[in-house]
């Protein structure tokens, strides 16, 4: 007999709107013909439904390009919502399907060896970082005061200075003693301006 090795992904991780589902075939014999039919999970579409691959003493790959709607992440990443095994071709939450129509032609005549596979698909969309704002009451205030109120009274001068420097560089705030040049003078920042800054990196 002849041997055909098929490598397929154990899971398809979906981070971006464009992802890939690769299948690799290898045989040291002449020759195998494989038609890979692919059904993407719910939330994704595939560029093509099937790929025909001829393998003869070599390694070849069939790669499907997926276009995914990341807004379905919440409903497809939960394990309890993965659909049960069913008929091939039916779209499922969290499951991609591959149907391999295989012909072994190494012995002169071709023999059929078909099989089906289901692959877990996980949406792993990064959550956007929430913008941290600070309430600055009326009256004189400074960027130093705003940062100090977030870090607490026990914060060291060094940690406050580092946070102030980072915020100044991100928001074009001029602090001559730090060698930072910007559009806004750190000594003339209003409470309203200070309250509108993003303090997400101050920890």
């Amino acid at each position: 007999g002849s041997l055909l090795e098929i490598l397929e992904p154990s899971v398809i991780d979906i981070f971006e709107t464009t992802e890939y589902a690769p299948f690799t075939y290898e045989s040291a014999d002449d020759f195998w013909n494989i038609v890979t039919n692919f059904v993407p999970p719910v939330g994704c579409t595939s560029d093509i439904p099937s790929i025909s691959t001829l393998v003869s003493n070599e390694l070849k790959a069939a790669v499907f390009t997926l276009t995914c709607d990341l807004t379905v992440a919440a409903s497809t990443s939960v394990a309890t919502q993965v659909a049960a095994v069913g008929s091939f071709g039916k779209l499922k939450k969290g499951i991609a399907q591959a149907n391999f129509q295989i012909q072994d032609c190494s012995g002169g005549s071709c023999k059929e060896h078909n099989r089906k596979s289901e692959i877990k698909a996980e949406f792993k969309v990064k959550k956007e970082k929430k913008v941290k704002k600070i309430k600055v009451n009326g009256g004189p205030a400074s960027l130093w005061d705003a940062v100090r109120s977030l870090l607490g009274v026990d914060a060291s001068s060094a940690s406050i200075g580092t946070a102030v420097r980072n915020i100044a560089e991100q928001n074009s705030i001029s602090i001559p003693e730090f060698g930072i040049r910007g559009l806004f003078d750190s000594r003339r920042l209003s409470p309203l301006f200070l309250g509108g800054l993003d303090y997400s990196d101050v920890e």
Side-chain angles (χ1 to χ4, degrees):
S2 180
L3 177 65
L4 173 70
E5 290 190 52
I6 300 177
L7 296 179
E8 60 184 348
S10 58
V11 62
I12 300 174
D13 291 327
I14 301 170
F15 290 95
E16 307 291 343
T17 54
T18 300
E19 294 292 351
Y20 302 93
F23 299 87
T24 303
Y25 311 104
E26 184 175 15
S27 179
D29 302 305
D30 296 322
F31 61 89
W32 291 80
N33 186 40
I34 309 103
V35 176
T36 308
N37 301 291
F38 182 76
V39 177
V42 168
C44 298
T45 58
S46 178
D47 58 336
I48 47 179
S50 64
I51 298 176
S52 180
T53 309
L54 180 65
V55 178
S56 179
N57 296 297
E58 59 192 333
L59 172 70
K60 282 191 175 180
V63 181
F64 295 87
T65 301
L66 307 183
T67 301
C68 301
D69 179 3
L70 301 184
T71 62
V72 304
S75 63
T76 57
S77 60
V78 182
T80 56
Q81 293 185 346
V82 174
V85 174
S87 59
F88 180 83
K90 183 179 180 180
L91 292 178
K92 301 180 181 181
K93 291 182 179 179
I95 294 291
Q97 303 168 79
N99 180 17
F100 304 96
Q101 297 176 325
I102 305 168
Q103 287 185 326
D104 176 8
C105 302
S106 59
S109 60
C110 297
K111 298 179 181 179
E112 299 284 342
H113 301 278
N114 299 336
R115 76 178 184 88
K116 297 177 181 179
S117 177
E118 292 198 337
I119 305 164
K120 186 177 181 181
E122 294 184 348
F123 282 76
K124 296 185 175 181
V125 182
K126 295 181 180 178
K127 294 183 179 179
E128 292 187 4
K129 194 174 184 180
K130 290 185 178 180
V131 175
K132 185 190 294 183
K133 300 287 185 178
I134 185 173
K135 291 183 179 179
V136 181
N137 296 326
S142 68
L143 183 56
W144 288 82
D145 293 333
V147 171
R148 187 181 293 109
S149 69
L150 286 171
L151 294 179
V153 295
D154 295 328
S156 66
S157 297
S159 61
I160 294 174
T162 298
V164 167
R165 179 189 296 273
N166 292 338
I167 293 174
E169 290 176 342
Q170 293 169 7
N171 295 277
S172 190
I173 298 173
S174 178
I175 305 181
E177 56 267 38
F178 283 169
I180 301 174
R181 302 179 64 181
L183 298 175
F184 307 100
D185 188 340
S186 62
R187 297 164 296 183
R188 301 178 182 275
L189 302 179
S190 68
L192 182 62
F193 182 92
L194 291 169
L197 296 177
D198 179 7
Y199 297 89
S200 300
D201 294 329
V202 178
E203 298 178 352

